[in-house]
Amino acid sequence: MEVIEVDHPLAAARLTIMRDARTDNVAFRGALADLGAMLVYEAARDLETEEFAVETPVATATGRRLADPPIIVPIIRAGLGMIDPALSMIPDAQVGFLGMARDEETHEPVPYLEALPDDLSGRTVFLVDPMLATGGSLLHGLRLVAERGATEIVVVCMVSAVPGVEAVRNSGYPVKRLVTATIDPELDENAYIVPGLGDAGDRLYGPRNIDLTDPR
């Protein structure tokens, strides 16, 4: 698995806004949208293109377009914030959805939604989630897309922790590349990334109130 830590002054500036505890929901969403577009831009660097003729106001030029746009799969709820920036870069991409909540006692993902094409064979999948902490949610997502035949998977995370990166690297799933804005060194006793930026979902949308023990 190739790991790309995007080193760009604009990416660093947006990440700093997201890390700042004083940043409100509105500013956090704006910074996340900007940074998400930058990371997807980098993740798409080697997608295959095809040439076609395009008429300019003056003459005929050779244009290029994606030969087979990827399918974007956000892990929601925090991953919802990465859909619009991903589609701003790749407007003809398809979108799937995986929903997972975090059990605050076990720190394990609790799946509640799965909306994916039945067959992902031959498709490039961008699995996107703002945070890669323990890797639990991402590994669950990797298993689901791999079971549907995906063999070309690119993971896009804004903030990654060393334990999560190693969990993905050692997972055995066909992850071609991890694109991230930073790799933070550790997790705290609650499995939050340190220094991190807190709970990305809460900072995007406000605190959630989900009873994970409620079967409904």
Side-chain angles (χ1 to χ4, degrees):
M1 180 182 75
E2 179 186 14
V3 177
I4 297 177
E5 190 172 354
V6 175
D7 181 17
H8 191 285
L10 297 183
R14 298 310 191 279
L15 177 61
T16 299
I17 293 171
M18 295 173 65
R19 287 197 193 272
D20 193 334
R22 299 169 298 177
T23 299
D24 63 16
N25 295 113
V26 175
F28 189 91
R29 284 195 291 269
L32 184 144
D34 289 346
L35 182 56
M38 296 177 201
L39 296 180
V40 170
Y41 175 90
E42 184 62 42
R45 181 172 295 277
D46 65 348
L47 292 179
E48 292 187 7
T49 61
E50 59 187 12
E51 295 184 347
F52 67 104
V54 58
E55 296 298 326
T56 80
V58 178
T60 301
T62 299
R64 296 171 68 192
R65 60 193 168 202
L66 294 181
D68 186 16
I71 178 168
I72 311 294
V73 181
I75 296 179
I76 60 178
R77 97 181 144 132
L80 284 173
M82 297 181 70
I83 297 175
D84 285 346
L87 291 177
S88 74
M89 293 288 100
I90 313 175
D92 47 353
Q94 290 184 294
V95 179
F97 295 93
L98 294 175
M100 281 174 253
R102 166 185 158 114
D103 188 314
E104 295 299 342
E105 293 185 1
T106 66
H107 308 147
E108 294 297 319
V110 180
Y112 62 86
L113 174 66
E114 181 182 323
L116 294 170
D118 290 334
D119 187 5
L120 292 172
S121 302
R123 301 292 306 277
T124 298
V125 176
F126 282 11
L127 193 59
V128 301
D129 192 358
M131 310 296 286
L132 173 55
T134 65
S137 295
L138 199 62
L139 292 178
H140 181 77
L142 288 170
R143 178 178 65 80
L144 292 177
V145 298
E147 286 178 349
R148 286 164 172 75
T151 57
E152 187 90 353
I153 304 171
V154 178
V155 173
V156 183
C157 298
M158 296 185 172
V159 178
S160 303
V162 170
V165 173
E166 292 308 309
V168 174
R169 190 194 305 276
N170 298 323
S171 68
Y173 295 116
V175 179
K176 179 179 181 180
R177 180 180 303 114
L178 166 66
V179 179
T180 187
T182 186
I183 300 177
D184 285 356
E186 59 187 352
L187 306 174
D188 67 12
E189 64 276 7
N190 295 312
Y192 281 99
I193 300 174
V194 179
L197 49 76
D199 186 299
D202 287 357
R203 299 198 66 189
L204 276 167
Y205 306 117
R208 66 174 181 264
N209 292 297
I210 299 176
D211 183 356
L212 297 176
T213 65
D214 188 341
R216 294 175 296 177

